[in-house]
Amino acid sequence: MAGIAVYLMYRYGPNLVLWLLLGFAWCYALTVLNDRVVAHPGTSWVVSAAVLTGCLGLLLLAGPGPLRRLRWRPLVYAGALTYPFYLVHQSLGVPVTRGILENVPGIGLLASIAVGLTLCMLLAAALERFVDRKLGRVFRHRLTAALHADEPRRESRELSVTVRESGASGERSRADLVGTGVSGSGRP
């Protein structure tokens, strides 16, 4: 939720509602963080909260902050990988990492996390290249067309209602409307 609030700040500008949403999302994340830290012995809540807050601070710098105009190509590509990475990390990366730890215990925690992260990054890159780039254009085009396809019909209905209302009072005749391309039937 915090990431969505930061994106909305980037897109539409910061305002009080978005700052409150961000604050509530940050507080909620800190309360949930305790449950996750307890599940991993030897992990400090304070360190985890500092890392979480630091990442949120980086988002604020990059979103609505002073780094928003930074368009370095590797950073733009990394940003494009964030959503596909989000989609695969929990369902594939975590089970792979746990499976490595259970089946090859000698490899260690950090190495198994590195393998899981590498797998997730490769899958995210493949999804971005073969799904997001190709289907993203098609979906954007079709959704935009679908959103704008209803506009003429809506205008036509509004004109039709206006014509019917004015026709009942006798103010405009059908001959008056012929030049405008509007008929009394509501069709342009």
Side-chain angles (χ1 to χ4, degrees):
M1 185 61 70
I4 293 171
V6 172
Y7 172 75
L8 291 173
M9 285 181 186
Y10 164 76
R11 177 82 178 188
Y12 301 108
N15 62 42
L16 180 61
V17 172
L18 293 176
W19 279 110
L20 288 172
L21 179 65
L22 178 63
F24 286 127
W26 177 67
C27 289
Y28 176 75
L30 290 176
T31 59
V32 173
L33 186 65
N34 188 47
D35 296 337
R36 294 186 180 193
V37 168
V38 169
H40 301 283
T43 308
S44 167
W45 182 89
V46 173
V47 171
S48 299
V51 168
L52 176 75
T53 304
C55 289
L56 190 56
L58 283 174
L59 275 177
L60 284 168
L61 286 173
L67 300 178
R68 74 177 168 268
R69 301 212 193 287
L70 186 63
R71 299 283 186 241
W72 189 40
R73 194 174 188 101
L75 287 179
V76 172
Y77 182 66
L81 292 182
T82 57
Y83 187 68
F85 182 83
Y86 163 76
L87 291 177
V88 298
H89 86 281
Q90 190 72 30
S91 57
L92 297 174
V94 172
V96 165
T97 303
R98 286 187 180 149
I100 291 171
L101 280 173
E102 291 172 6
N103 295 318
V104 189
I107 194 170
L109 178 64
L110 291 179
S112 62
I113 290 174
V115 170
L117 281 174
T118 302
L119 173 72
C120 287
M121 289 305 292
L122 291 171
L123 285 170
L127 284 172
E128 191 274 333
R129 175 154 176 92
F130 299 114
V131 177
D132 286 354
R133 284 189 199 177
K134 298 200 186 292
L135 292 179
R137 286 186 210 122
V138 173
F139 285 151
R140 272 191 303 277
H141 175 70
R142 292 208 178 164
L143 286 172
T144 302
L147 288 173
H148 295 295
D150 192 38
E151 288 177 4
R153 282 186 253 146
R154 201 173 328 126
E155 291 171 6
S156 174
R157 280 186 292 233
E158 291 169 2
L159 285 173
S160 174
V161 169
T162 305
V163 169
R164 284 190 198 123
E165 289 172 356
S166 65
S169 64
E171 293 174 14
R172 296 180 81 185
S173 69
R174 181 166 170 75
D176 294 335
L177 297 173
V178 170
T180 63
V182 178
S183 67
S185 66
R187 293 186 200 136

